[in-house]
Amino acid sequence: MKETNTTLKRTLTLAPLVLFGLAGIITAQFASGLSAQASAARMLYAMGRDSVLPKRIFGFVHPRFQTPVLNLIVIGVIALLALKMDMATSTSFINFGAFVTFTFVNLSVIGHYYVKLRRRNGSGIFLYLLFPLLGACLDIWLLINLDVHALILGGSWVVLGVIYLLFLTNMFRKQPPELVFEDAG
């Protein structure tokens, strides 16, 4: 009986630390989500401003608050839809975008340095061909081993993007609009 009381006292002594830790985790997740929502809304605004997305909707800035209000609403709705996903699918969906991006970064290194600039000397073969090729292969391997729901959702997103690109470029007859990475103010 005395041993049970000692264990209970130790547990109650650690309870405030656990509660404090949980409060910290909840606060950090809220702040992270808020900053992700704000940055995604600003990115949509930049794409709207530069006519990559429809300017009337995505390039709109609220006259009083000087914020991209419509983009914040769009991102908020998407975030609410994400509440229906389980943790594995949502994490895999985020990783889908990362792995696709990293694959293209590795392939771009090969295209730029090894093909275009012809850096094919001894170290160039390793730095600009073999290492990026290995990185691209690992990214593709990680990509195909993601949650099947994330692959379907990510693949659908890619298909929608390609269809929109075809529309935007008039079936690749004109150059797509480019983002301007300068301060608009």
Side-chain angles (χ1 to χ4, degrees), residues 93 96 148-164:
F93 185 54
F96 178 91
V148 68
H149 296 97
L151 291 173
I152 292 168
L153 188 59
S156 302
W157 196 256
V158 168
V159 167
L160 286 173
V162 169
I163 291 170
Y164 182 68

Side-chain angles (χ1 to χ4, degrees), residues 6-47:
T6 307
T7 305
L8 183 61
K9 285 180 184 177
R10 285 183 189 154
T11 304
L12 291 176
T13 304
L14 294 176
L17 293 175
V18 171
L19 186 61
F20 184 72
L22 288 174
I25 289 171
I26 290 169
T27 303
Q29 286 179 332
F30 178 76
S32 174
L34 196 58
S35 68
Q37 183 175 359
S39 62
R42 295 295 294 177
M43 184 62 174
L44 288 176
Y45 165 72
M47 293 173 79

Side-chain angles (χ1 to χ4, degrees), residues 77-106:
V77 168
I78 292 171
L80 288 174
L81 292 174
L83 290 174
K84 290 291 187 181
M85 289 184 192
D86 62 355
M87 186 65 87
T89 301
S90 63
T91 305
S92 290
F93 185 54
I94 292 168
N95 286 334
F96 178 91
F99 294 146
V100 169
T101 302
F102 295 149
T103 300
F104 280 108
V105 167
N106 281 305

Side-chain angles (χ1 to χ4, degrees), residues 131-180:
F131 288 154
L133 191 60
L134 178 64
C137 289
L138 287 173
D139 288 328
I140 291 169
W141 179 76
L142 290 168
L143 179 68
I144 62 175
N145 285 296
L146 289 175
D147 180 68
V148 68
H149 296 97
L151 291 173
I152 292 168
L153 188 59
S156 302
W157 196 256
V158 168
V159 167
L160 286 173
V162 169
I163 291 170
Y164 182 68
L165 181 64
L166 289 170
F167 168 77
L168 199 61
T169 60
N170 198 16
M171 303 299 283
F172 296 117
R173 290 187 196 117
K174 64 179 187 177
Q175 288 284 359
E178 290 189 29
L179 285 173
V180 179

